[in-house]
Amino acid sequence: MQNISTSTSTSPLLTASVQYSTPTVVVIVLVAYIALCRSLRFRFERKLQEKFNYPDRSSLARMTNDDAQAIVNSIQSQEFPFLYKLSLQFGLFKTYSIPTISKLLSATTALTDPKFAGKRYEDTTILFGQFSIYPPKSDRALKALARMNYLHNRYVVGGQISNADLLYTLSVVIIEPIRFMSQFEWRPLNEMEQCAIGTFWKSIGDAMGIKYTGVLANDTWVDGLAFVEDITTWSRQYERDAMRPVISNVKPARATVDLLLYHVPSFVRPYALELLTVLMGDRVRDAFMYPEPGIVMSMIAYTALIVRRFIIGYLFLPRAYPLVFFSEPDPKTDRIYHYDYQVEPWYVPNNVWSRWGPSGLLSRFVDGIVPGDKPWKPEGFLFEDIGPVARMGAGIKEMEADVDRLRRERPTGCPFA
């Protein structure tokens, strides 16, 4: 019988087809993935605009304080949590370059003494978080504002904190988030979001008793954007007049840098510090008496930010759910857990997740502080715990009176109407 052989060789045409199909498929999948990322990234922004219905500049004049807080919360909890937090950190850091502010910080040692600096940092984060995440007339927002007012009051009454100091601090927490998103994020804040930041922080300034009349160019504003523009102009001039290198700036600046670079290995710290000085800019860097960074490190810093902006904008899917920074109050003790910390895990619960989850493992890896140890109050916080150790538990009656005042006076509607 004749054997009939079947050739198993592949034709040149088929080989070429298989050879070129793999990279083609990879390109198609990559393009489709990038298109999906971009579509989903902007979908959250569109949904937010549809939800609050502020379609143009004229509509911003009716933005309510409730809406402004909700929009700010979406920025910090879901859309831009990393850079929003970093921008607030940098904004508060800038205030230490104002001699009247740095002298008080140096005198009180709240930030300059390593024994107290970690708690002060976390307590500031907690207060900001409470009145940013929760509605303007919620108990948590009102208690946070009342606690902040209590801690500031004796220095305000004693003339150690001026209205200009408070106004400048307010200005940087408005200006820096807008600037950071514009320069470093995958998209800038839109007009509605910028207006929300101006509206929200204006209401915080009102709750603190900050005076604007005779200081800013205007006494009234049509919307939050107009307030942002006015306070930005004032803040820039105030920096030119007041920000200068004095020795009292150095200690709080170095203490804050130590906290920010706490987890950075010692052999990398000089380079990390140089990167930080790039982001400070000339005026702030000079006020803190840091040397001018080299051109190579400047290029590395800005290149890294540009690459991050591209990767997040084109290759990362957006966050599906907002981050959770705090627990609900315990029904028996009224204490609240804090889930996010920089160095010292104040008020972080002592459980398996906090000790062995990502944050706990990172702390162990860099020989940091693991949550759950007793000095850091792992049982959670009451609002009277916030502040210097010597004042923990103090001021309860004063806070209650201020909460009553804020509940009566603080608006939920449009604060510019």
Side-chain angles (χ1 to χ4, degrees):
M1 180 181 293
Q2 182 180 3
N3 290 330
I4 301 175
S5 62
T6 304
S7 173
T8 59
S9 64
T10 305
S11 69
L13 181 61
L14 182 58
T15 301
S17 175
V18 173
Q19 179 182 353
Y20 290 107
S21 65
T22 301
T24 301
V25 168
V26 170
V27 170
I28 291 172
V29 169
L30 180 60
V31 170
Y33 177 75
I34 291 174
L36 176 66
C37 288
R38 295 299 284 173
S39 174
L40 293 179
R41 280 256 163 226
F42 286 100
R43 186 177 69 170
F44 182 80
E45 180 188 16
R46 290 193 298 269
K47 287 177 66 176
L48 208 64
Q49 289 176 316
E50 291 169 3
K51 176 182 178 180
F52 291 103
N53 191 29
Y54 297 111
D56 51 36
R57 177 65 191 262
S58 62
S59 67
L60 298 178
R62 57 177 172 80
M63 180 178 286
T64 65
N65 201 23
D66 279 350
D67 283 354
Q69 176 274 321
I71 294 167
V72 168
N73 184 34
S74 74
I75 293 170
Q76 74 167 0
S77 299
Q78 189 160 358
E79 189 78 327
F80 306 116
F82 173 73
L83 269 193
Y84 184 80
K85 179 181 178 180
L86 185 62
S87 67
L88 292 182
Q89 291 173 332
F90 180 74
L92 294 176
F93 179 67
K94 281 183 68 175
T95 65
Y96 310 153
S97 63
I98 303 297
T100 52
I101 296 176
S102 67
K103 286 176 182 175
L104 178 60
L105 289 172
S106 297
T108 61
T109 71
L111 188 61
T112 56
D113 190 328
K115 292 187 297 184
F116 308 127
K119 186 177 191 299
R120 185 188 189 280
Y121 179 92
E122 300 303 336
D123 285 350
T124 301
T125 300
I126 287 168
L127 291 178
F128 274 45
Q130 293 297 296
F131 57 65
S132 298
I133 293 171
Y134 300 97
K137 285 202 171 181
S138 66
D139 284 345
R140 294 174 72 158
L142 296 179
K143 287 179 180 180
L145 286 167
R147 188 62 182 176
M148 184 166 64
N149 287 342
Y150 167 75
L151 294 173
H152 285 160
N153 185 60
R154 69 172 179 173
Y155 300 111
V156 173
V157 172
Q160 294 167 283
I161 297 179
S162 68
N163 186 70
D165 294 335
L166 292 173
L167 186 58
Y168 180 68
T169 304
L170 184 70
S171 75
V172 294
V173 297
I174 293 172
I175 296 167
E176 294 305 325
I178 295 173
R179 183 178 73 86
F180 266 59
M181 305 312 152
S182 175
Q183 293 185 2
F184 308 133
E185 263 298 357
W186 62 272
R187 73 166 176 86
L189 297 176
N190 57 47
E191 278 196 341
M192 182 187 77
E193 292 165 329
Q194 293 182 47
C195 179
I197 286 177
T199 303
F200 168 76
W201 284 108
K202 164 67 163 56
S203 77
I204 300 298
D206 292 341
M208 295 173 66
I210 296 176
K211 303 296 188 294
Y212 314 106
T213 302
V215 183
L216 300 186
N218 302 298
D219 296 335
T220 60
W221 304 269
V222 294
D223 56 31
L225 272 182
F227 182 72
V228 169
E229 293 162 0
D230 198 355
I231 201 171
T232 298
T233 300
W234 175 85
S235 183
R236 298 293 184 241
Q237 184 59 51
Y238 187 73
E239 288 177 353
R240 288 190 287 269
D241 294 340
M243 189 180 290
R244 60 185 185 276
V246 297
I247 197 65
S248 64
N249 296 351
V250 174
K251 289 183 69 176
R254 301 301 188 270
T256 303
V257 167
D258 286 343
L259 287 173
L260 294 176
L261 301 183
Y262 182 84
H263 295 300
V264 177
S266 58
F267 69 92
V268 183
R269 279 199 175 193
Y271 306 103
L273 175 59
E274 193 175 0
L275 284 173
L276 275 179
T277 62
V278 173
L279 300 179
M280 289 178 196
D282 294 341
R283 181 175 287 119
V284 175
R285 184 179 60 249
D286 291 344
F288 289 141
M289 302 183 186
Y290 281 114
E292 184 177 354
I295 188 170
V296 172
M297 198 57 71
S298 299
M299 292 175 62
I300 290 173
Y302 287 109
T303 300
L305 288 167
I306 291 170
V307 170
R308 176 192 178 274
R309 179 168 59 191
F310 176 85
I311 290 174
I312 291 179
Y314 288 90
L315 299 178
F316 275 27
L317 291 170
R319 186 172 284 99
Y321 301 100
L323 295 175
V324 177
F325 300 107
F326 302 98
S327 72
E328 291 301 311
D330 184 279
K332 295 181 180 179
T333 66
D334 213 29
R335 291 187 174 275
I336 299 169
Y337 291 128
H338 181 215
Y339 298 132
D340 177 48
Y341 67 98
Q342 179 76 19
V343 175
E344 296 180 357
W346 283 93
Y347 323 114
V348 179
N350 182 4
N351 56 35
V352 174
W353 177 254
S354 64
R355 293 181 65 84
W356 295 99
S359 295
L361 290 174
L362 176 62
S363 291
R364 294 174 191 275
F365 179 75
V366 298
D367 198 27
I369 303 170
V370 177
D373 294 333
K374 202 63 179 175
W376 317 119
K377 296 187 74 67
E379 67 271 22
F381 68 87
L382 299 171
F383 282 91
E384 55 264 32
D385 293 327
I386 305 301
V389 173
R391 301 178 76 182
M392 291 177 67
I396 295 176
K397 290 184 178 180
E398 293 90 338
M399 286 173 57
E400 289 174 349
D402 204 27
V403 166
D404 289 341
R405 175 188 69 85
L406 291 168
R407 187 171 282 115
R408 293 192 308 269
E409 297 177 2
R410 197 165 189 220
T412 57
C414 178
F416 299 107

